[in-house]
Amino acid sequence: MAPDIDLVFELEDDAYDELAGLPRSHPGRLQERSIFLEFEEVARGFSVRAHGPALPYDGNAPYKGILQRNSQEISAGVAKLHDRWLTGVVQRTHATDRRYIYEDIPAQTLGAEEAETILATVCTELAQAGQALYRLLFHTGDEDLARLEKALARALRSGPQIITVTSSDLFVPWGLLYLHPDPDSRLNAGAPGQWSGFFGYTHLIEHNLGCVKGYDPFIHYGSEKPKASLHFDTRLDDLHGPEDCPLEPVRHIVDTHADSIDRPTKPETAAALTEPECTDHVILFGAHGTGVRTGRRGEEQAKVVLSDGVPIHADDIHDWSVDRGERLPNPLCFMMVCEGGRVGMYFQEGLARPLFDLGVGCLIGPQTEVNTRFASRFTCRFFEEFFKGECAAPVIRHLTQEFISQYATPLGLAFTLVRGIDNRLIIEDESP
């Protein structure tokens, strides 16, 4: 890590101009995928197909195999990965004062050297968990799946790939999967993990739930500013006090670049998202939430809670989609919400699938719990770049790498994308 670390997050001026150096997407042009992965549930598990320029034909047969694990087994593997992130990152405490290490920026609170040492240990632990899920998906099948995995691993190790995973049956946090860059290294034999082995660190990867009538990854708006709706739990700012408000910096960024409107309660949110004339280009949730939970009355479905304290459940969002009768016009939805990016094997497990069914064109959110300070900074950085016209996925990848290398926190890697590789704002007079 470089000895000089700039950890100042000021809003008086545009503190994010350093992102202007990112490679720019071509306006209105789809990015060429190098790998396509397709999963479809079958009687014996899941049919897996793989193709794309990074998987050249070997003169034998198309890459197709059978993953011999059912939905429950895959869900259990995903739950283990989530638990490792919860205990290894979110709940990780310092050895001396027992404070949460990733409650803020470790490079600032602990110092660069200690933060880097802890991060190396975290990397290996998370790599072991990500590797276990990768092997569950690609090493527990027939001989054809083994052949597919061999070609896939060779492509992933050859350099950054652009990957679309398509499935309406199988859902995993793709960015958290791990394949060691060196095929001869063995994590279980003591080899250290490397961040470049995580899918979300090195590659652009999105989950596509299937064909959607009328879907357009390009979010068109006219000569005026794009429209944004803010669904915030304003109690978060009251809780943290005027010096450490997590929502106000985000509001500042959005208000600078978009015409925004506040919808801080469940009734206001329902009214807006069921309105046939809804033309929001960006939908942003900033609140407390969870994926599915097991409580005293059994499993409780995913939810997000706004300022009125009334939960918005996955089933509520489904009801809103029925009321609309047609999809929203493909806005980007950013969930600054714990576990807000989860897409589960069944509908109520996360909010991502019901929001996508409602008509969201791209959904971004964390798989795990994320503390409010980090979430605020990460969200600010994302939208400053997204409002400049960059595609969502490259920004997420860049910020993930930056927060690891400069600030010694891996939490950016937890953000996942339902679509996102092509999704960007486009002014109407641009030619797609």
Side-chain angles (χ1 to χ4, degrees), residues 87-98:
T87 58
V89 181
V90 179
Q91 296 176 347
R92 196 177 200 96
T93 57
H94 195 268
T96 56
D97 57 15
R98 309 306 296 170

Side-chain angles (χ1 to χ4, degrees), residues 122-402:
V122 170
C123 177
T124 298
E125 293 177 2
L126 297 180
Q128 291 170 337
Q131 176 180 266
L133 186 55
Y134 174 86
R135 289 177 172 178
L136 179 66
L137 295 174
F138 296 105
H139 285 261
T140 55
D142 60 8
E143 292 182 357
D144 290 332
L145 184 63
R147 173 173 167 266
L148 182 155
E149 189 280 330
K150 184 177 180 180
L152 176 64
R154 184 167 54 247
L156 293 172
R157 288 177 170 132
S158 70
Q161 305 297 332
I162 301 178
I163 308 168
T164 290
V165 182
T166 300
S167 181
S168 58
D169 306 305
L170 182 143
F171 303 96
V172 303
W174 298 106
L176 305 185
L177 266 61
Y178 183 88
L179 178 70
H180 203 288
D182 181 0
D184 296 324
S185 294
R186 301 288 184 267
L187 288 176
N188 295 330
Q194 298 180 24
W195 292 112
S196 58
F198 288 93
F199 284 25
Y201 185 95
T202 295
H203 312 291
L204 298 182
I205 186 164
E206 66 178 1
H207 190 111
N208 179 347
L209 280 73
C211 183
V212 174
K213 183 179 180 180
Y215 170 73
D216 185 352
F218 305 124
I219 307 170
H220 299 272
Y221 67 100
S223 57
E224 302 297 325
K225 290 182 177 180
K227 298 179 181 179
S229 59
L230 305 180
H231 305 268
F232 286 169
D233 180 353
T234 55
R235 297 172 298 177
L236 289 177
D237 279 346
D238 296 334
L239 177 66
H240 290 271
E243 300 300 321
D244 198 23
C245 295
L247 298 178
E248 279 307 305
V250 177
R251 184 188 302 278
H252 173 86
I253 295 297
V254 176
D255 287 347
T256 298
H257 298 281
D259 288 329
S260 64
I261 184 169
D262 289 319
R263 296 182 174 115
T265 67
K266 181 176 180 178
E268 291 171 290
T269 297
L273 296 183
T274 57
E275 170 57 51
E277 301 303 318
C278 178
T279 57
D280 292 334
H281 303 100
V282 170
I283 299 172
L284 172 58
F285 284 86
H288 285 306
T290 67
V292 68
R293 282 287 187 274
T294 300
R296 289 177 296 177
R297 299 180 180 179
E299 284 195 337
E300 301 173 358
Q301 59 179 269
K303 66 182 179 182
V304 60
V305 183
L306 304 182
S307 300
D308 55 359
V310 182
I312 298 172
H313 290 106
D315 279 347
D316 294 320
I317 300 172
H318 172 70
D319 288 341
W320 299 346
S321 66
V322 174
D323 288 338
R324 279 193 59 82
E326 62 181 31
R327 288 172 50 84
L328 290 167
N330 302 307
L332 176 136
C333 179
F334 193 100
M335 299 294 287
M336 185 180 150
V337 176
C338 289
E339 302 174 5
R342 288 197 182 181
V343 189
M345 292 291 201
Y346 63 93
F347 191 83
Q348 293 89 352
E349 192 171 346
L351 296 175
R353 198 195 301 198
L355 283 167
F356 190 79
D357 289 348
L358 182 66
V360 165
C362 168
L363 186 136
I364 301 170
Q367 288 286 319
T368 64
E369 295 181 16
V370 176
N371 68 72
T372 53
R373 293 187 185 96
F374 171 84
S376 176
R377 288 167 172 158
F378 194 86
T379 305
C380 285
R381 301 292 293 275
F382 172 81
F383 276 107
E384 181 64 18
E385 190 64 21
F386 181 75
F387 280 123
K388 293 176 183 176
E390 182 56 70
C391 292
V395 178
I396 293 293
R397 181 178 63 180
H398 175 84
L399 294 179
T400 295
Q401 295 172 352
E402 183 182 88

